[in-house]
Amino acid sequence: MARETGLTLKPLVRLGKRPDDCWEWLSVKTEGGYGKKQLGGKTLLAHRWMWTQLFGPIPDGLVIDHICANPGCVNPAHLRLCSQAENCRDGAGTTLTSADVVEIKQAKKTRGPTTANALALRYG
């Protein structure tokens, strides 16, 4: 005879109707929309947890990129291993022009104590 525990289990993920749709994380999320998962007293980002469950540990120096640009997605077909530089370069918010890059590199050569802050404010 089953005992009543009073627990209600909620699904963590809503699968898309098609295999190429996003799998939306339904549980707790960060302010930026990334899913969060509690495991062994630690908080993990849901897409990183999904990756490690399916493919093993994430190598040092690499991150998990959402190729769909949806931070709440945990569809393994939408995740890829890459460097942080690749992730930033390919991000949806990338708006630097070639001229911007030239100016940033020039500023780096002649940098002063406030150069990094000034560049961050100017280019986001």
Side-chain angles (χ1 to χ4, degrees):
M1 180 192 244
R3 221 169 50 163
E4 178 63 40
T5 63
L7 293 175
T8 303
L9 297 177
K10 296 180 181 179
L12 294 177
V13 178
R14 180 178 54 240
L15 302 178
K17 294 180 182 180
R18 298 180 321 261
D20 60 334
D21 287 342
C22 287
W23 296 2
E24 194 65 34
W25 187 257
L26 299 175
S27 192
V28 179
K29 292 185 178 182
T30 67
E31 286 183 26
Y34 292 92
K36 291 183 357 181
K37 170 111 176 101
Q38 290 289 324
L39 188 65
K42 293 183 179 180
T43 301
L44 306 172
L45 292 175
H47 63 289
R48 293 176 60 84
W49 173 78
M50 179 66 80
W51 183 274
T52 58
Q53 294 303 301
L54 297 172
F55 307 113
I58 300 166
D60 289 342
L62 297 181
V63 298
I64 305 301
D65 180 27
H66 290 89
I67 59 175
C68 60
N70 174 1
C73 178
V74 294
N75 182 341
H78 292 189
L79 304 176
R80 72 176 181 118
L81 263 175
C82 67
S83 69
Q84 182 62 36
E86 287 175 296
N87 190 14
C88 291
R89 188 172 45 249
D90 297 340
T94 303
T95 57
L96 294 177
T97 66
S98 296
D100 294 339
V101 173
V102 168
E103 185 174 338
I104 291 167
K105 286 182 176 181
Q106 186 59 39
K108 188 176 176 183
K109 290 178 185 176
T110 60
R111 68 176 162 235
T114 60
T115 301
N117 288 339
L119 290 171
L121 287 172
R122 181 166 180 177
Y123 295 105

